[in-house]
Amino acid sequence: MKPVRALDVSGGPVPDARRQVLLRAFGIVLLMLAAGADLLLAGGAGKPLWPQLVVLPIGLAAVLWPAAVRPAWLTTAVRTAVPAVLSGAMTVVAFLSGRELWYGPGEFAILLCLLLIAVRDCPMPWAAVCGVLVGAAVLALPYRAAAGHPYVTSVNPFQFLLPTGAVAGLGGYLRTLDHRRRVAVTETQRAERLAMAADLHDFVAHHVTGILVQTQLAQLLATSEPERLGGILKDVERAAVEALASMRRTVGLLREVHESAEAGTDDRRPRGDLAALPELVEGFRGPVGPETALRRDLSVPDDLPHEVQAAAYRVVQEALTNVRRHAADATEVTVGLTYDGGVLEVTVRDDGRGGTRLPQAARGGGFGLVGLTERVTALGGKLRTGPRSDRRGWEVMATLPAERGRRDRLGALGPTP
């Protein structure tokens, strides 16, 4: 079965990875064939090959050099500007010397690729500078072919204006889409942090209220029943340790959150915990939904840290939502909880094949996994989404360190006397 509903944590559905590899390989083959055609055409016409041997290798390297092994100095501006300057220099040499220097479809295609990269990926204002350089190199190519032909009295540099403008416009459009996606991802992460802060507020307020009540009771019993003070003080200490430990783990996430963003986030508060999962799973199944089962291992304790339980609830909630949006043909959904070595593992599996009865507008923006990843990684956990090992559906798996939270609770106030 093909995984047709892959989700990227940067937001939204993405194409099948194999399709991306095939398209990239197809583009590389076309570019290499065009570059080879330049050499064959120049050689067949008896033209000097040294311009192609200078421009084509550098241009191909600039376009095809993998980002994973690209040196730090090879920035996008350098990649696009250097081949454009070399191509322009060849045109200037041909124009000044009066000798025709060949150019072909390979150089033209490489320059257009570099123009797209410059407009889309270069930081401002380098995008404008490099875009102008590459565009000028493309428009100047006719002068190179006209050099050495005394009967050519005029050159039309605008014959390549249409493809150049189209590629530059496409680059600008893709740059706008990239910017919108970055803004959406940032806002989603920010909203999730605010939701965690609101969740933390509810949790700490609960414990502080308990501390206040227990303290008032201790004052009343100080003179009448002093033997009961020990148990009350232990409860006060436990509540204070839990509140401080949760606050310590969450406060680091709020360094980029401004107070002005607090409005309008109440509807995003994750109020669930492990005890609320049966109701969530049962509600997802409904009268016409797929068969849904919650399998909670007996090893899963009930007293896990509050933020770990809230994250587990959010993982299940988001995974079930994605099943509804992207795999409405699923007939069986399994939610599993296991606990081993201080790590809570949450798994949601379905047997859907990616079919959906929902219209595109009802499938959401695809940024739910962005906020979910923000929450899981903040707790030191990992989130993985992808096809099941048996290729019979989809799987969302989150590992949440829970034992660490317990140690933090025990050590937040120092050793207990």
Side-chain angles (χ1 to χ4, degrees):
M1 183 195 70
K2 290 185 179 181
V4 295
R5 63 179 201 280
L7 292 177
D8 183 4
V9 295
S10 65
V14 298
D16 190 330
R18 289 175 296 180
R19 190 184 310 164
Q20 287 184 331
V21 171
L22 290 176
L23 289 175
R24 187 177 295 112
F26 182 68
I28 292 174
V29 170
L30 285 182
L31 204 58
M32 296 296 293
L33 289 176
D38 275 15
L39 296 175
L40 291 176
L41 291 173
K47 307 298 181 182
L49 296 178
W50 65 268
Q52 282 70 40
L53 296 178
V54 172
V55 176
L56 293 180
I58 295 178
L60 288 173
V63 174
L64 303 179
W65 199 322
V69 295
R70 194 179 299 154
W73 57 266
L74 191 58
T75 62
T76 308
V78 173
R79 289 171 58 206
T80 55
V82 171
V85 170
L86 284 176
S87 177
M90 297 299 167
T91 302
V92 172
V93 169
F95 186 77
L96 295 179
S97 64
R99 297 178 56 190
E100 178 186 1
L101 296 181
W102 181 268
Y103 80 90
E107 183 176 351
F108 179 66
I110 289 173
L111 289 176
L112 289 182
C113 290
L114 293 175
L115 178 60
L116 179 66
I117 294 173
V119 176
R120 179 180 184 179
D121 296 332
C122 279
M124 295 297 293
W126 284 107
V129 174
C130 296
V132 169
L133 281 176
V134 181
V138 175
L139 296 178
L141 289 177
Y143 288 98
R144 190 191 305 179
H149 293 283
Y151 54 85
V152 177
T153 59
S154 64
V155 176
N156 180 17
F158 301 109
Q159 58 181 308
F160 292 150
L161 185 60
L162 180 60
T164 302
V167 171
L170 176 62
Y173 174 70
L174 294 177
R175 186 184 186 94
T176 302
L177 291 184
D178 292 341
H179 174 71
R180 291 178 179 176
R181 182 172 296 276
R182 286 193 297 269
V183 170
V185 169
T186 301
E187 289 299 320
T188 302
Q189 293 172 334
R190 191 162 167 263
E192 188 66 26
R193 293 176 184 179
L194 285 171
M196 294 181 69
D199 195 34
L200 175 66
H201 169 270
D202 295 342
F203 178 64
V204 173
H206 167 77
H207 282 287
V208 170
T209 302
I211 291 172
L212 177 60
V213 173
Q214 295 282 4
T215 303
Q216 291 173 340
L217 180 60
Q219 290 175 343
L220 294 176
L221 298 178
T223 55
S224 59
E225 300 179 62
E227 67 278 1
R228 294 178 57 186
L229 289 178
I232 294 176
L233 293 178
K234 286 290 184 181
D235 291 340
V236 171
E237 180 188 30
R238 177 185 57 79
V241 170
E242 289 182 354
L244 284 176
S246 293
M247 217 175 340
R248 282 173 47 189
R249 283 190 294 272
T250 310
V251 71
L253 298 174
L254 310 178
R255 59 186 179 273
E256 296 179 359
V257 178
H258 302 286
E259 294 180 357
S260 60
E262 291 179 354
T265 59
D266 289 345
D267 59 335
R268 296 181 59 86
R269 292 189 186 183
R271 301 181 184 275
D273 53 15
L274 296 186
L277 281 180
E279 180 180 357
L280 175 66
V281 174
E282 185 66 24
F284 173 79
R285 178 169 54 189
V288 295
E291 288 296 325
T292 309
L294 173 62
R295 298 174 182 174
R296 175 172 174 172
D297 195 87
L298 295 178
S299 61
V300 179
D302 295 325
D303 60 341
L304 292 175
H306 170 77
E307 60 273 16
V308 173
Q309 296 195 46
Y313 184 91
R314 284 281 288 115
V315 169
V316 176
Q317 185 181 51
E318 182 64 27
L320 294 180
T321 300
N322 283 335
V323 171
R324 188 79 75 190
R325 289 173 175 169
H326 305 288
D329 61 335
T331 60
E332 181 179 350
V333 180
T334 303
V335 178
L337 297 176
T338 59
Y339 184 80
D340 183 29
V343 176
L344 176 67
E345 184 175 286
V346 184
T347 307
V348 182
R349 296 185 177 95
D350 68 77
D351 61 351
R353 297 180 176 274
T356 176
R357 294 185 296 271
L358 296 179
Q360 183 66 34
R363 300 182 195 176
F367 292 97
L369 288 181
V370 177
L372 193 59
T373 302
E374 181 80 10
R375 178 179 287 265
V376 171
T377 55
L379 298 175
K382 295 181 180 179
L383 181 70
R384 188 190 73 83
T385 64
R388 291 168 50 176
S389 56
D390 56 6
R391 315 296 293 182
R392 293 178 52 206
W394 205 253
E395 176 180 77
V396 176
M397 178 182 298
T399 54
L400 300 166
E403 189 65 26
R404 183 190 66 176
R406 291 183 164 189
R407 288 197 298 267
D408 286 349
R409 281 208 310 273
L410 294 176
L413 295 180
T416 303

